Amino acid sequence: MSAVLVFFDAVDGSLSSGQQELLTLAASLGEAHVVTGAADPSEALAFDGVEVVWTGESEISAPDPALVDLLETAVRESGADVVLGTDSADSTDALARLAVRLEAGLITDAVGVDGDASSGATSLTVHKSVLAGGYTTSAQVTSGPAVITVRPNSVEAALSAGAAPEVTALPVSASSSGVEVLGRTELEASERPALTEARVVVAGGRGMDGNFGPLEELADELGAAIGASRAATDAGWIDHAAQVGQTGVTVSPQLYLSAGISGAVQQRAGMQTAQTIVAINKDEDAPVFEIADFGVVGDLFEVIPQMLEELRRRKT
Amino acid sequence: MAESAAATPLHIIVLVKWVPDYQLERRIAEDRRMDRSGGVLSELDEYPLEAALQIREAAERPVRVSALTLGPSGASASAKKALQIGADDAFHLTDDALAGADVAATSVALRGAVEQAFATGDEETEAVRLVLTGMASEDGETSAVPAQLAERLGVALVTNATGISLEGDAVVVDRISASEQQKVRADLPAVVSVTDQANDPRYPNFKAIMAAKKKTTTSWALSEVGLTADDVASRTQVTAAAPRPPREAGEVITDEGDAGKRIVEFLAKERVL
Ligand SMILES: Cc1cc2nc3c(=O)[nH]c(=O)nc-3n(C[C@H](O)[C@H](O)[C@H](O)COP(=O)(O)OP(=O)(O)OC[C@H]3O[C@@H](n4cnc5c(N)ncnc54)[C@H](O)[C@@H]3O)c2cc1C
């Protein structure tokens, strides 16, 4: 079977669901090999089918360009004709540079990949959702290897636990050539599901008027991630990481509940491929109602507590 | 600041793309390429342009800000808009061989144009070089062109800047990585992509619009930046494109005290609870 190299720009404790989806996708195309700059990834990668894992001699993290050297070396070692990574900025940066070195075709933000790696990179079909969800496209690389980044929540993760794989260190170490990290601040980790990976997203906009409390209660009740419009993140009511839309994250959850968000085109770009959309807005002409499967014209500070009451009533 | 840095001029090239208007309906044509019959300056490219202008205003050294666009003849409109906003001069790379260019082809062509544009600098003093880009194009949205361009130019890359300032012959950039906020320093030359969190872009005023009429835009074909059609072959191809059926508006009710309950009932019916 042909090797499919999966790149993880970071591995913390256990794999995120997006990373598990990537491994699942890789295994459907060929034999999953993993390369990462993370130190000691073995435990996190203890899944059936993951037998080959490469790291550097030391930990290498973005934006260190040594990640590209590591990737290039791992492609040579594995003979992989397909390289997959998540569609995050750090991963895209490294894979885009790798594609230049390999003179390979690069396709970003895929929502699916079909085919068999042993028939060659150019035989794979890559599916995308483009123009803010307005079109679906299929694409192929015309020159291998195929370097592909994949959007989270696109593939159903199906992995079974296995033995911790052996890790081989390649002769590549961290460098600081040209880019020096002066400081790092961890972003606050939330107890809630990751926004891009969540099954349910509840999102608030300018209508929250500085108070995300009711939405947080609703998120707790639904096991949801919290999203926001740029108006809400710009106002500083919630972290920028929660921004959904053109310049925030793109989500495709089963349910997107939008509260106090008008539904500007930049916001819609990030959420209109959700399976079901519910909107609460006090303006009956708000554009969000054009794409909502169920809409409520009303004050969110009244409607959300009604929802909470009904959800809790059903639980008892 | 080092004395040499104060004396050496800085040349910033800002990449500006002419894209179909994000606010209007955008179309992929029969040939599976973007319908580029109309367009505007990509709003996301106003942020790197603003960053360049702020660097120019704060610097105690000569700073030249050039706008560079790659695209069909209409794309000269985005160069013109950049001049009105405040760029000193502009370049427009245009060639039939670039139609439908993918990331690889685009970055090869941009490399040629960037090197050519930098070479138009003052011959006596070798200026320090910086390329600024938006966080993504509003049409292709790959966010991969800055990385491929940096790799081809063989210079440092910093993406997703939420803040950028000049320190000597380096830039200090705040950026967001997957799980952390980073402050990094990159020695110039470098390619830096700038997000919409970085600043509030200015609008061109009447004076600036008048002043822009005296600024030059240089147009090049591929051969004028030392490239052939073969050099800019795409490495990917789109094999199918279909519009997604538009979402239909569903039921809209007005709250009469029970709308929250009715949402929950709807969710239960749709089995998303
Ligand atoms: C380059 C660029 C990139 C952008 N990227 C993004 C992006 O990624 N994501 C994004 O979201 N936006 C983005 N925007 C901004 C976008 O254009 C809109 O300005 C923004 O989405 C508006 O946010 P909003 O809907 O919360 O606010 P508004 O448009 O002000 O809407 C607030 C809504 O809340 C309703 N409301 C108020 N009070 C209540 C209440 N008590 N109960 C119920 N409803 C109430 C109002 O009726 C109104 O419809 C971008 C803009 C630009 C220029």
Side-chain angles (χ1 to χ4, degrees):
Chain A
M1 244 199 305
S2 289
V4 175
L5 187 65
V6 177
F7 171 58
F8 292 143
D9 53 321
V11 175
D12 315 305
S14 60
L15 294 190
S16 69
S17 57
Q19 290 177 320
Q20 296 191 28
E21 290 168 21
L22 265 191
L23 280 183
T24 307
L25 179 63
S28 78
L29 301 171
E31 186 181 297
H33 292 200
V34 173
V35 58
T36 176
D40 298 324
S42 182
E43 291 294 324
L45 292 167
F47 293 104
D48 258 357
V50 180
E51 269 145 43
V52 185
V53 177
W54 279 294
T55 62
E57 276 175 344
S58 56
E59 182 172 356
I60 308 173
S61 57
D64 189 339
L67 274 180
V68 191
D69 302 332
L70 177 65
L71 271 161
E72 194 183 6
T73 313
V75 169
R76 295 250 156 75
E77 289 293 319
S78 63
D81 210 18
V82 181
V83 185
L84 303 178
T86 51
D87 189 59
S88 65
D90 288 341
S91 164
T92 302
D93 288 349
L95 290 170
R97 299 182 81 161
L98 173 74
V100 169
R101 293 195 191 172
L102 302 177
E103 301 193 350
L106 172 75
I107 300 179
T108 59
D109 203 20
V111 297
V113 184
D114 302 332
D116 182 346
S118 52
S119 311
T122 56
S123 72
L124 300 182
T125 303
V126 182
H127 304 282
K128 290 188 55 154
S129 168
V130 302
L131 292 180
Y135 279 78
T136 52
T137 59
S138 306
Q140 283 169 343
V141 303
T142 51
S143 140
V147 181
I148 304 167
T149 71
V150 182
R151 185 187 289 189
N153 236 349
S154 304
V155 184
E156 189 88 33
L159 296 173
S160 35
E166 201 175 308
V167 174
T168 309
L170 295 169
V172 181
S173 319
S175 75
S176 63
S177 53
V179 184
E180 182 193 355
V181 178
L182 305 173
R184 303 174 184 267
T185 324
E186 281 289 308
L187 297 180
E188 233 171 279
S190 138
E191 297 287 298
R192 300 205 168 84
L195 184 54
T196 51
E197 298 171 353
R199 219 177 54 83
V200 178
V201 174
V202 296
R206 201 191 303 278
M208 300 311 296
D209 203 15
N211 175 15
F212 265 71
L215 208 63
E216 283 174 16
E217 264 188 81
L218 187 60
D220 288 340
E221 207 61 48
L222 294 170
I226 293 192
S229 72
R230 193 173 95 169
T233 55
D234 278 358
W237 301 339
I238 183 160
D239 201 80
H240 169 66
Q243 184 182 313
V244 172
Q246 183 197 9
T247 55
V249 299
T250 301
V251 299
S252 295
Q254 267 174 282
L255 170 64
Y256 188 89
L257 186 134
S258 155
I261 298 179
S262 58
V265 59
Q266 294 93 346
Q267 155 75 202
R268 288 156 74 146
M271 44 69 80
Q272 64 188 353
T273 60
Q275 227 166 72
T276 301
I277 296 174
V278 171
I280 306 170
N281 195 301
K282 66 181 184 190
D283 172 10
E284 63 177 340
D285 294 324
V288 70
F289 288 129
E290 293 162 18
I291 56 164
D293 299 289
F294 192 78
V296 169
V297 181
D299 185 338
L300 70 94
F301 291 106
E302 289 172 17
V303 178
I304 292 179
Q306 294 165 20
M307 278 188 77
L308 284 168
E309 193 183 310
E310 176 64 12
L311 286 166
R312 287 172 183 152
R313 190 187 66 74
R314 285 175 179 242
K315 269 196 182 156
T316 54
Chain B
M1 198 186 281
E3 207 175 298
S4 64
T8 329
L10 171 68
H11 189 180
I12 306 177
I13 293 180
V14 184
L15 303 186
V16 294
K17 189 172 183 186
W18 190 65
V19 298
D21 193 334
Y22 202 83
Q23 299 284 347
L24 305 179
E25 190 176 321
R26 298 177 293 167
R27 248 175 38 87
I28 295 179
E30 290 285 298
D31 62 0
R32 301 185 298 279
R33 287 178 179 167
M34 189 80 65
D35 177 350
R36 297 192 184 279
S37 50
V40 294
L41 167 63
S42 176
E43 206 163 350
L44 296 182
D45 293 339
E46 293 183 19
Y47 299 89
L49 180 56
E50 178 64 32
L53 299 178
Q54 288 184 13
I55 288 172
R56 188 179 68 190
E57 283 155 5
E60 287 164 1
R61 65 206 273 176
V63 178
R64 171 178 167 204
V65 176
S66 301
L68 167 63
T69 191
L70 180 166
S73 62
S76 62
S78 60
K80 184 172 163 198
K81 177 93 183 279
L83 293 175
Q84 293 175 341
I85 293 172
D88 297 306
D89 51 21
F91 299 91
H92 178 194
L93 178 63
T94 185
D95 201 298
D96 288 344
L98 289 168
D102 73 349
V103 180
T106 302
S107 58
V108 168
L110 283 173
R111 177 207 166 158
V114 162
E115 286 183 335
Q116 184 85 350
F118 276 137
T120 63
D122 199 344
E123 259 76 13
E124 298 92 4
T125 48
E126 180 79 346
V128 179
R129 298 166 172 190
L130 172 63
V131 177
L132 297 182
T133 78
M135 62 188 285
S137 65
E138 290 194 310
D139 47 3
E141 287 195 314
T142 67
S143 294
V145 167
Q148 291 216 329
L149 178 61
E151 183 69 25
R152 292 189 199 284
L153 289 167
V155 304
L157 168 73
V158 183
T159 55
N160 282 309
T162 57
I164 176 170
S165 59
L166 190 66
E167 270 187 24
D169 284 344
V171 283
V172 173
V173 174
D174 291 308
R175 73 181 292 265
I176 300 184
S177 170
S179 59
E180 58 187 26
Q181 177 87 43
Q182 297 175 339
K183 188 179 273 299
V184 305
R185 178 207 302 274
D187 291 330
L188 300 182
V191 174
V192 180
S193 79
V194 178
T195 77
D196 65 335
Q197 301 288 300
N199 53 45
D200 292 310
R202 67 193 69 185
Y203 295 105
N205 56 31
F206 179 72
K207 210 174 127 217
I209 290 171
M210 294 313 287
K213 295 192 168 156
K214 298 204 185 75
K215 298 175 182 173
T216 57
T217 298
T218 308
S219 278
W220 287 318
L222 272 179
S223 59
E224 291 169 283
V225 300
L227 293 170
T228 66
D230 283 346
D231 294 329
V232 296
S234 287
R235 299 186 182 282
T236 58
Q237 64 178 12
V238 178
T239 52
R244 186 189 291 272
R247 284 195 92 100
E248 308 261 326
E251 186 183 1
V252 179
I253 63 166
T254 300
D255 180 32
E256 282 164 0
D258 66 343
K261 183 159 178 273
R262 292 185 58 189
I263 292 176
V264 175
E265 283 163 1
F266 171 79
L267 297 180
K269 193 182 81 197
E270 296 283 306
R271 300 178 182 282
V272 281
L273 274 190

